[in-house]
Amino acid sequence: MATATAVTPLLSGTAAAADDTLPAQVRRTLDQVLAAGAPSAVCGVIRGGRTYVAGAAGKGKRTPDGRTVFQLGSISKTLTATALALAVGAGETRLDAPLTLPARFPIPRKGPRRITLADLATHSSGLPSLPPNLLDGANPYDPYAHYTLDDLAEGLGKTTLATEPGEKYSYSNLGFGLLGQALAFDRVDEMLRQRVAAPLRLTDTTTTLRPDMLLRKAVGHYEGTPVPDWHDRVLSAAGTSLYSTVDDMLRFLAAQLRPERSPLRAAIELTQRTHFTDDSGLRLGLAWHLSPLPGGRTMTWHNGQTGGFGTCAAFNRESGTAVVMMTNNVSPVPEGKDRPMDILTHELLDALAADR
C-alpha cells in the first residue's frame, strides 16, 4: 500500500506538463524497493520547483511518510563535506591543509606527501575503510558504540596506507571520521548541527533523538529481522549515527539544486565541484560522487547504510530534479554489485530529469 503527501511548492518555477505521471513513477519504484525486501520505504522528489513524497509498506507494516525518522548513513558525509567547505570559506583551513590531530593520534604516511583534508573528503587518502581495531570487542549489531578516542589513537598506530595520498579512490569511513575530528575535535555532532543542519533548517537531522522523533522513528531491519540503531561519537562524521527524514533531505537537496538561495551558497558550490578524478574516470566532489547521465547531464549522488537502514540521494542541477529514498532494511549484496535501491533511485532520477 502506498500513500503520498500533496505536491507542495519548494523552489520557484512551474511544474512540468509531465508532472501528472510523477505519482505513478514513484509508486512503481517503491513497489520495486519493497519487492527487493524492504519492510517499508519512503521516496521524496523535487521536480519543477515542487516536492512530492510517497511512502509504501508491506502487509501489516506502518507506512512511512516524509517525517518518519531513519538513520541516514553515509549521506551524512555530504554534511561533513559542507562543514569542511564552510571552514575553507571562512579562512579557518584549506583543502590542501595536512590532516592534523592532537599529538597522541599518529597520522599514517606513505610517500613524500602528507594526507590532506581534500584527500579525506574525496576518498583518496589511502586509508582503509575502517580502523584495524574497530571490531575488537564490538557488538556486531552496534559496532561503533564501544569505540573511544583512546581506541582511535591505538588504531591509527596500527594503520598503514594502501596507496600514497591523492593517488587512488578507495572509500574510507575512517577517513571521513578523521575529517570530522580534524574540523571539530570531540564535538563533531555539535559542529554538524550548528554549522550545517541549523542554517538549512534540517530540524530532524541529528544524532540525538528527541521524544517526538522517537515516536516517528522507523525500526531498522537486517534481512527482515529488527535490529538496534547504531551509535557512535568518534567516527560519526562518516555517517554512522545520524538520523534524518525525507522532508529534511528534500530541504538539503533543494539547497544543492539552487545554492544561490541558500545561506551556505559558497560552501555548497565548493562541494559539488570536481576535486578528484580516479584513473577509472570516477569523479568526486567533496563527498559527492559525480556520474554521467545520458545527454551530457551529471548525476550528483551519495548513498548510505547502517545496520538496519538504507538510503540514497541523487540530483541533477540542469533539470532541477532530485530524488531521495529511505528504507528500513539491509540485505547483503554480492561484491561488485550495486544495491537494488540505489539502482532504482538512480533510474528514477534519470527518467524524471530526462522528461524536463
Side-chain angles (χ1 to χ4, degrees):
M1 175 181 176
T3 62
T5 64
V7 178
T8 55
L10 182 65
L11 304 171
S12 65
T14 57
D19 234 20
D20 61 346
T21 66
L22 179 60
Q25 288 176 286
V26 171
R27 184 165 58 250
R28 285 194 297 271
T29 299
L30 284 169
D31 287 345
Q32 290 173 290
V33 172
L34 292 188
S40 67
V42 59
C43 179
V45 172
I46 301 173
R47 188 166 182 250
R50 297 174 180 270
T51 63
Y52 180 81
V53 179
K59 186 176 180 180
K61 304 293 185 181
R62 184 172 67 177
T63 301
D65 59 26
R67 297 182 70 244
T68 301
V69 176
F70 294 76
Q71 285 210 298
L72 188 58
S74 286
I75 294 176
S76 307
K77 290 181 173 69
T78 64
L79 278 74
T80 301
T82 304
L84 168 61
L86 284 166
V88 170
E92 298 167 5
T93 190
R94 309 182 317 276
L95 289 179
D96 63 356
L99 168 62
T100 303
L101 294 170
R104 67 189 179 101
F105 296 90
I107 307 301
R109 295 191 65 164
K110 188 181 184 75
R113 185 164 76 73
R114 297 169 64 184
I115 295 171
T116 68
L117 301 186
D119 295 331
L120 298 174
T122 57
H123 297 290
S124 57
S125 65
L127 286 163
S129 176
L130 298 170
N133 63 339
L134 176 71
L135 299 182
D136 295 349
N139 176 352
Y141 293 104
D142 196 359
Y144 294 83
H146 73 296
Y147 205 67
T148 66
L149 287 170
D150 288 340
D151 293 327
L152 178 62
E154 178 188 351
L156 285 174
K158 302 175 180 178
T159 298
T160 58
L161 302 187
T163 60
E164 293 187 18
E167 184 176 291
K168 185 177 180 180
Y169 171 87
S170 183
Y171 194 88
S172 177
N173 284 310
L174 172 58
F176 257 87
L178 294 178
L179 176 59
Q181 293 295 353
L183 293 172
F185 185 73
D186 205 23
R187 52 182 185 86
V188 173
D189 299 342
E190 176 186 350
M191 173 195 68
L192 293 178
R193 183 173 62 252
Q194 293 182 353
R195 302 201 72 168
V196 183
L200 295 179
R201 298 184 297 112
L202 310 181
T203 56
D204 287 333
T205 301
T206 176
T207 56
T208 305
L209 289 169
R210 303 185 307 270
D212 68 293
M213 293 177 67
L214 279 168
L215 296 175
R216 293 184 276 123
K217 196 186 80 67
V219 175
H221 293 73
Y222 182 79
E223 292 193 289
T225 299
V227 292
D229 297 345
W230 280 3
H231 303 86
D232 178 22
R233 278 186 51 85
V234 174
L235 301 176
S236 59
T240 50
S241 57
L242 199 68
Y243 295 93
S244 192
T245 64
V246 161
D247 283 354
D248 265 16
M249 284 299 99
L250 287 177
R251 280 187 281 272
F252 185 59
L253 291 173
Q256 306 303 316
L257 291 173
R258 299 294 298 272
E260 70 276 11
R261 299 189 175 189
S262 163
L264 307 185
R265 175 179 183 171
I268 289 171
E269 293 279 14
L270 185 59
T271 66
Q272 293 182 24
R273 294 176 197 152
T274 300
H275 292 277
F276 180 80
T277 302
D278 191 67
D279 290 342
S280 67
L282 175 69
R283 293 188 297 133
L284 273 292
L286 300 179
W288 291 112
H289 292 61
L290 311 174
S291 300
L293 289 173
R297 299 185 307 273
T298 296
M299 175 175 65
T300 305
W301 65 277
H302 210 296
N303 59 7
Q305 181 172 300
T306 63
F309 297 91
T311 60
C312 189
F315 64 92
N316 170 243
R317 282 185 65 173
E318 295 97 324
S319 65
T321 306
V323 177
V324 58
M325 183 79 68
M326 295 187 176
T327 70
N328 61 330
N329 187 66
V330 170
S331 296
V333 177
E335 186 174 353
K337 299 292 185 180
D338 294 322
R339 298 183 310 177
M341 72 166 295
D342 295 340
I343 296 170
L344 292 166
T345 301
H346 294 173
E347 288 178 346
L348 179 59
L349 176 78
D350 186 19
L352 294 176
D355 284 345
R356 297 298 301 146

